[in-house]
Amino acid sequence: MYRQITPSSTLLLNEQSAAIEKNGKQVFRFGFGQSPFPISPVLKQALIENADRKEYTQVQGLEALRNQVAEYHSAFEKRPISADQVFIAPGSKALLYTIMCAYTDAAVLIPAPAWVSYEPQAKLLGHATFMMQTSFDKRYRITPDILEKTLSEAAKNYKSLLVFLNSPGNPDGLCYSDHELRALTAVLSRFGAKVISDEIYAPLQHDNQHVSIAKYYPEGTFVTSGLSKWAGAGGWRLGIAILPQNYDTQLKEAMLGIASETYSCASSPIQYAAITAYSDNATMHQYVKNQRVILKAIGAHIHKALVVAGLNAHAPEGGFYMLLDFTQYRETLNNMGIYTDAEICSKVLADTGVALLPGIAFGLTPQALCARLAYVDFDGKQALDDINQDGWSEDLTAKHTQKMSTGIQNLGNYLKQLVHAK
């Protein structure tokens, strides 16, 4: 017998899109959520200068990098963080797994929609998973009532309670407010639950106003992040985790043991180069600021185009995603024999070339009729060149969203035609 793990929905969508393009049809790629921006020249140069580094580092990570990450996140999150709390690994995905692996007899609570790997990782470890369904009306945010109900249920049979949060979120592009985080903290602290707060998109919060739940619950929060999104370096595989304040030393020992027997350490050249990424470097600051300006403008433009096209979606607040809600077309789609979001996405891709990821990939029920849209199908290098030359403008937004706007218009027209044809 073998483990049954569903293949990545993203990779499957890419294969389907490639097959359609091979037949000469245009595909509007809204499915794949990789940063469109090139790596900063100063970060690239730092890697070149450290390319000859070949030694294994400490399992927890290079001390100089951990010091720099602690300094960066202390300023970014506005709370004291020490290098002893910081773990470095080949990608934040490895750290999410390591954190969960450190716990036994655990229940893992996951608000849906959620990033695609939380639940499979928990199941690989043999943990019980509890999906907490959210809704469009609640901005896909988990509420204290739902959290308390689920924690009460999980606590009956499990000693360790782990709760995932992701803000800014993938797949919805939304953030938790101060008020929401305070309310959730009150519930979490009563149960003694631990939070794994995935903040990989935090530096790309469009208004640079990110708030971590660790601000209110430092004693119970793991924060994970890395270089893949805000530094455009997904393939570099450099992730970081910050342990809770006053962490249990046995927890840290368990994580070090797990790491030493799995990934050993992150790549030495990448770790040395990452010191530059986390340094107080004017070039890196401007590079990230420019991304925020561009993504905010493009996100707002695409959201407006969706509304004009007759589609429901909340305006994005960070990262580069939105979650489309097709429930207003439920009756029309049902009359066509289409009942799930996967069926909608398959039909839309075949008929319009618009590639979206169905909500079921993110833990939503198939009948929720949602799909993720990633607004990254533009030339990130050219966009950075443009903003560095003359600043950003509405004309530049229109220029860089031309293809995406056409895809959304086609999708809107297609859905309207279905309604009129019924």
Side-chain angles (χ1 to χ4, degrees), residues 5-27:
I5 301 296
T6 304
S8 165
S9 300
T10 304
L11 297 180
L12 178 60
L13 181 62
N14 284 342
E15 291 174 6
Q16 294 171 335
S17 299
I20 290 174
E21 286 180 321
K22 191 174 181 180
N23 290 328
K25 186 173 181 178
Q26 185 177 22
V27 172

mmCIF file of all heavy atoms in Angstrom, residues 5-27:
data_model
loop_
_atom_site.group_PDB
_atom_site.id
_atom_site.type_symbol
_atom_site.label_atom_id
_atom_site.label_comp_id
_atom_site.label_asym_id
_atom_site.label_seq_id
_atom_site.Cartn_x
_atom_site.Cartn_y
_atom_site.Cartn_z
ATOM 1 N N ILE A 5 -1.734 10.766 -1.978
ATOM 2 C CA ILE A 5 -1.614 12.223 -1.945
ATOM 3 C C ILE A 5 -2.014 12.771 -3.305
ATOM 4 O O ILE A 5 -1.463 12.393 -4.349
ATOM 5 C CB ILE A 5 -0.179 12.671 -1.600
ATOM 6 C CG1 ILE A 5 0.226 12.113 -0.227
ATOM 7 C CG2 ILE A 5 -0.071 14.187 -1.622
ATOM 8 C CD1 ILE A 5 -0.580 12.629 0.928
ATOM 9 N N THR A 6 -2.987 13.660 -3.313
ATOM 10 C CA THR A 6 -3.483 14.229 -4.570
ATOM 11 C C THR A 6 -2.408 15.108 -5.211
ATOM 12 O O THR A 6 -1.795 15.940 -4.525
ATOM 13 C CB THR A 6 -4.740 15.074 -4.310
ATOM 14 O OG1 THR A 6 -5.713 14.263 -3.654
ATOM 15 C CG2 THR A 6 -5.303 15.605 -5.629
ATOM 16 N N PRO A 7 -2.162 14.955 -6.508
ATOM 17 C CA PRO A 7 -1.168 15.796 -7.182
ATOM 18 C C PRO A 7 -1.529 17.276 -7.101
ATOM 19 O O PRO A 7 -2.704 17.633 -6.958
ATOM 20 C CB PRO A 7 -1.214 15.301 -8.641
ATOM 21 C CG PRO A 7 -1.785 13.918 -8.558
ATOM 22 C CD PRO A 7 -2.748 13.942 -7.406
ATOM 23 N N SER A 8 -0.544 18.123 -7.216
ATOM 24 C CA SER A 8 -0.738 19.568 -7.138
ATOM 25 C C SER A 8 -1.721 20.061 -8.195
ATOM 26 O O SER A 8 -1.574 19.785 -9.379
ATOM 27 C CB SER A 8 0.608 20.285 -7.327
ATOM 28 O OG SER A 8 0.423 21.643 -7.601
ATOM 29 N N SER A 9 -2.732 20.800 -7.734
ATOM 30 C CA SER A 9 -3.723 21.373 -8.666
ATOM 31 C C SER A 9 -3.072 22.386 -9.589
ATOM 32 O O SER A 9 -3.452 22.515 -10.755
ATOM 33 C CB SER A 9 -4.855 22.041 -7.878
ATOM 34 O OG SER A 9 -5.513 21.119 -7.056
ATOM 35 N N THR A 10 -2.087 23.115 -9.073
ATOM 36 C CA THR A 10 -1.389 24.118 -9.878
ATOM 37 C C THR A 10 -0.652 23.470 -11.039
ATOM 38 O O THR A 10 -0.736 23.931 -12.185
ATOM 39 C CB THR A 10 -0.403 24.908 -9.016
ATOM 40 O OG1 THR A 10 -1.090 25.485 -7.907
ATOM 41 C CG2 THR A 10 0.251 26.016 -9.815
ATOM 42 N N LEU A 11 0.072 22.391 -10.750
ATOM 43 C CA LEU A 11 0.828 21.716 -11.805
ATOM 44 C C LEU A 11 -0.103 21.100 -12.837
ATOM 45 O O LEU A 11 0.175 21.137 -14.039
ATOM 46 C CB LEU A 11 1.735 20.649 -11.192
ATOM 47 C CG LEU A 11 2.828 21.160 -10.243
ATOM 48 C CD1 LEU A 11 3.645 19.998 -9.700
ATOM 49 C CD2 LEU A 11 3.728 22.161 -10.954
ATOM 50 N N LEU A 12 -1.218 20.557 -12.374
ATOM 51 C CA LEU A 12 -2.195 19.976 -13.296
ATOM 52 C C LEU A 12 -2.771 21.050 -14.207
ATOM 53 O O LEU A 12 -2.916 20.843 -15.422
ATOM 54 C CB LEU A 12 -3.316 19.301 -12.508
ATOM 55 C CG LEU A 12 -4.446 18.671 -13.331
ATOM 56 C CD1 LEU A 12 -3.902 17.578 -14.248
ATOM 57 C CD2 LEU A 12 -5.526 18.103 -12.412
ATOM 58 N N LEU A 13 -3.093 22.205 -13.647
ATOM 59 C CA LEU A 13 -3.635 23.306 -14.443
ATOM 60 C C LEU A 13 -2.617 23.771 -15.474
ATOM 61 O O LEU A 13 -2.973 24.082 -16.622
ATOM 62 C CB LEU A 13 -4.031 24.464 -13.526
ATOM 63 C CG LEU A 13 -4.644 25.693 -14.210
ATOM 64 C CD1 LEU A 13 -5.951 25.328 -14.906
ATOM 65 C CD2 LEU A 13 -4.875 26.811 -13.205
ATOM 66 N N ASN A 14 -1.348 23.824 -15.095
ATOM 67 C CA ASN A 14 -0.304 24.224 -16.043
ATOM 68 C C ASN A 14 -0.233 23.262 -17.218
ATOM 69 O O ASN A 14 -0.039 23.673 -18.375
ATOM 70 C CB ASN A 14 1.053 24.299 -15.341
ATOM 71 C CG ASN A 14 1.191 25.540 -14.484
ATOM 72 O OD1 ASN A 14 0.450 26.488 -14.641
ATOM 73 N ND2 ASN A 14 2.139 25.516 -13.571
ATOM 74 N N GLU A 15 -0.374 21.974 -16.934
ATOM 75 C CA GLU A 15 -0.350 20.974 -18.003
ATOM 76 C C GLU A 15 -1.545 21.149 -18.939
ATOM 77 O O GLU A 15 -1.407 21.074 -20.169
ATOM 78 C CB GLU A 15 -0.365 19.564 -17.391
ATOM 79 C CG GLU A 15 0.915 19.201 -16.652
ATOM 80 C CD GLU A 15 0.813 17.857 -15.941
ATOM 81 O OE1 GLU A 15 -0.220 17.173 -16.123
ATOM 82 O OE2 GLU A 15 1.749 17.496 -15.210
ATOM 83 N N GLN A 16 -2.712 21.394 -18.367
ATOM 84 C CA GLN A 16 -3.910 21.601 -19.187
ATOM 85 C C GLN A 16 -3.778 22.860 -20.039
ATOM 86 O O GLN A 16 -4.155 22.862 -21.219
ATOM 87 C CB GLN A 16 -5.140 21.702 -18.283
ATOM 88 C CG GLN A 16 -5.482 20.416 -17.547
ATOM 89 C CD GLN A 16 -6.579 20.617 -16.505
ATOM 90 O OE1 GLN A 16 -6.780 21.729 -15.987
ATOM 91 N NE2 GLN A 16 -7.305 19.552 -16.202
ATOM 92 N N SER A 17 -3.241 23.917 -19.434
ATOM 93 C CA SER A 17 -3.065 25.173 -20.160
ATOM 94 C C SER A 17 -2.097 25.007 -21.317
ATOM 95 O O SER A 17 -2.318 25.518 -22.424
ATOM 96 C CB SER A 17 -2.563 26.269 -19.204
ATOM 97 O OG SER A 17 -3.487 26.499 -18.166
ATOM 98 N N ALA A 18 -0.997 24.279 -21.061
ATOM 99 C CA ALA A 18 -0.001 24.053 -22.103
ATOM 100 C C ALA A 18 -0.590 23.269 -23.268
ATOM 101 O O ALA A 18 -0.288 23.541 -24.444
ATOM 102 C CB ALA A 18 1.204 23.309 -21.519
ATOM 103 N N ALA A 19 -1.455 22.313 -22.963
ATOM 104 C CA ALA A 19 -2.089 21.511 -24.014
ATOM 105 C C ALA A 19 -2.989 22.374 -24.883
ATOM 106 O O ALA A 19 -3.024 22.214 -26.116
ATOM 107 C CB ALA A 19 -2.885 20.369 -23.380
ATOM 108 N N ILE A 20 -3.710 23.313 -24.258
ATOM 109 C CA ILE A 20 -4.594 24.206 -25.006
ATOM 110 C C ILE A 20 -3.776 25.141 -25.894
ATOM 111 O O ILE A 20 -4.104 25.374 -27.060
ATOM 112 C CB ILE A 20 -5.490 25.004 -24.038
ATOM 113 C CG1 ILE A 20 -6.510 24.063 -23.383
ATOM 114 C CG2 ILE A 20 -6.213 26.142 -24.768
ATOM 115 C CD1 ILE A 20 -7.336 24.718 -22.307
ATOM 116 N N GLU A 21 -2.691 25.688 -25.342
ATOM 117 C CA GLU A 21 -1.830 26.582 -26.123
ATOM 118 C C GLU A 21 -1.182 25.841 -27.291
ATOM 119 O O GLU A 21 -0.977 26.419 -28.366
ATOM 120 C CB GLU A 21 -0.752 27.180 -25.215
ATOM 121 C CG GLU A 21 -1.280 28.241 -24.271
ATOM 122 C CD GLU A 21 -0.196 28.816 -23.383
ATOM 123 O OE1 GLU A 21 0.682 28.061 -22.930
ATOM 124 O OE2 GLU A 21 -0.235 30.041 -23.123
ATOM 125 N N LYS A 22 -0.872 24.578 -27.082
ATOM 126 C CA LYS A 22 -0.255 23.773 -28.145
ATOM 127 C C LYS A 22 -1.189 23.650 -29.338
ATOM 128 O O LYS A 22 -0.754 23.529 -30.488
ATOM 129 C CB LYS A 22 0.098 22.387 -27.605
ATOM 130 C CG LYS A 22 0.983 21.561 -28.534
ATOM 131 C CD LYS A 22 1.407 20.271 -27.867
ATOM 132 C CE LYS A 22 2.310 19.455 -28.802
ATOM 133 N NZ LYS A 22 2.742 18.180 -28.147
ATOM 134 N N ASN A 23 -2.490 23.742 -29.067
ATOM 135 C CA ASN A 23 -3.482 23.671 -30.142
ATOM 136 C C ASN A 23 -3.779 25.046 -30.742
ATOM 137 O O ASN A 23 -4.731 25.200 -31.517
ATOM 138 C CB ASN A 23 -4.777 23.052 -29.619
ATOM 139 C CG ASN A 23 -4.622 21.570 -29.303
ATOM 140 O OD1 ASN A 23 -3.848 20.871 -29.958
ATOM 141 N ND2 ASN A 23 -5.353 21.087 -28.309
ATOM 142 N N GLY A 24 -2.965 26.037 -30.379
ATOM 143 C CA GLY A 24 -3.078 27.354 -31.006
ATOM 144 C C GLY A 24 -4.061 28.305 -30.366
ATOM 145 O O GLY A 24 -4.357 29.366 -30.937
ATOM 146 N N LYS A 25 -4.570 27.975 -29.188
ATOM 147 C CA LYS A 25 -5.544 28.844 -28.520
ATOM 148 C C LYS A 25 -4.874 29.636 -27.412
ATOM 149 O O LYS A 25 -4.016 29.112 -26.689
ATOM 150 C CB LYS A 25 -6.688 28.000 -27.940
ATOM 151 C CG LYS A 25 -7.820 28.831 -27.350
ATOM 152 C CD LYS A 25 -8.994 27.940 -26.958
ATOM 153 C CE LYS A 25 -10.152 28.766 -26.397
ATOM 154 N NZ LYS A 25 -11.315 27.918 -26.061
ATOM 155 N N GLN A 26 -5.245 30.904 -27.277
ATOM 156 C CA GLN A 26 -4.660 31.746 -26.246
ATOM 157 C C GLN A 26 -5.151 31.335 -24.859
ATOM 158 O O GLN A 26 -6.331 31.043 -24.664
ATOM 159 C CB GLN A 26 -4.988 33.217 -26.475
ATOM 160 C CG GLN A 26 -4.294 34.163 -25.489
ATOM 161 C CD GLN A 26 -4.572 35.621 -25.784
ATOM 162 O OE1 GLN A 26 -5.563 35.965 -26.427
ATOM 163 N NE2 GLN A 26 -3.688 36.503 -25.333
ATOM 164 N N VAL A 27 -4.229 31.319 -23.901
ATOM 165 C CA VAL A 27 -4.579 31.021 -22.517
ATOM 166 C C VAL A 27 -4.254 32.237 -21.658
ATOM 167 O O VAL A 27 -3.186 32.841 -21.785
ATOM 168 C CB VAL A 27 -3.811 29.786 -21.993
ATOM 169 C CG1 VAL A 27 -4.030 29.606 -20.485
ATOM 170 C CG2 VAL A 27 -4.248 28.532 -22.729
#
